[in-house]
Amino acid sequence: MSKPSGPSDTSFRKTWDRAEYAQKAADREAHIKTESKARAEAKAVGKKYYPRASTPPDAKETVSRAARLDVSSNVGKTTLVPAGASTGKRGRGAGFYC
């Protein structure tokens, strides 16, 4: 058989940037190191370590209500809920179950 001429058949493969992945590995190791330090500090105090969840960038601070909820206006009223509006546990809708 003859050898193929021209570009190799692996030219479609992704080329990896070693510097980029080395930086990612260094960042990951630094994160693991700080987390393990926090775990050790919590254990020394006798508490369990809970990693903090990241806050989404579009999250805003909690704000109290401007006005009180008027619950008393709904006392004695009946509200109809469409059959498919709420599906609870095991496919059942609103109501009382045994």
Side-chain angles (χ1 to χ4, degrees):
M1 288 211 171
S2 65
K3 291 187 176 187
S5 62
S8 67
D9 63 342
T10 60
S11 61
F12 64 90
R13 292 186 181 172
K14 181 177 179 178
T15 56
W16 302 95
D17 185 11
R18 289 185 180 270
E20 176 186 352
Y21 285 96
Q23 181 62 37
K24 282 185 179 181
D27 292 343
R28 183 172 179 267
E29 287 176 4
H31 175 72
I32 290 172
K33 186 176 181 179
T34 57
E35 187 172 319
S36 64
K37 183 178 180 183
R39 283 181 189 275
E41 289 174 357
K43 190 173 184 179
V45 177
K47 295 185 178 182
K48 185 173 180 178
Y49 173 75
Y50 294 101
R52 182 181 171 158
S54 62
T55 307
D58 60 342
K60 63 179 183 177
E61 299 293 325
T62 56
V63 181
S64 63
R65 294 183 193 269
R68 292 184 56 98
L69 288 177
D70 188 22
V71 181
S72 62
S73 65
N74 292 330
V75 172
K77 291 186 179 178
T78 304
T79 305
L80 293 176
V81 178
S86 63
T87 304
K89 294 179 182 177
R90 299 183 202 106
R92 299 185 296 189
F96 296 99
Y97 298 97
C98 294

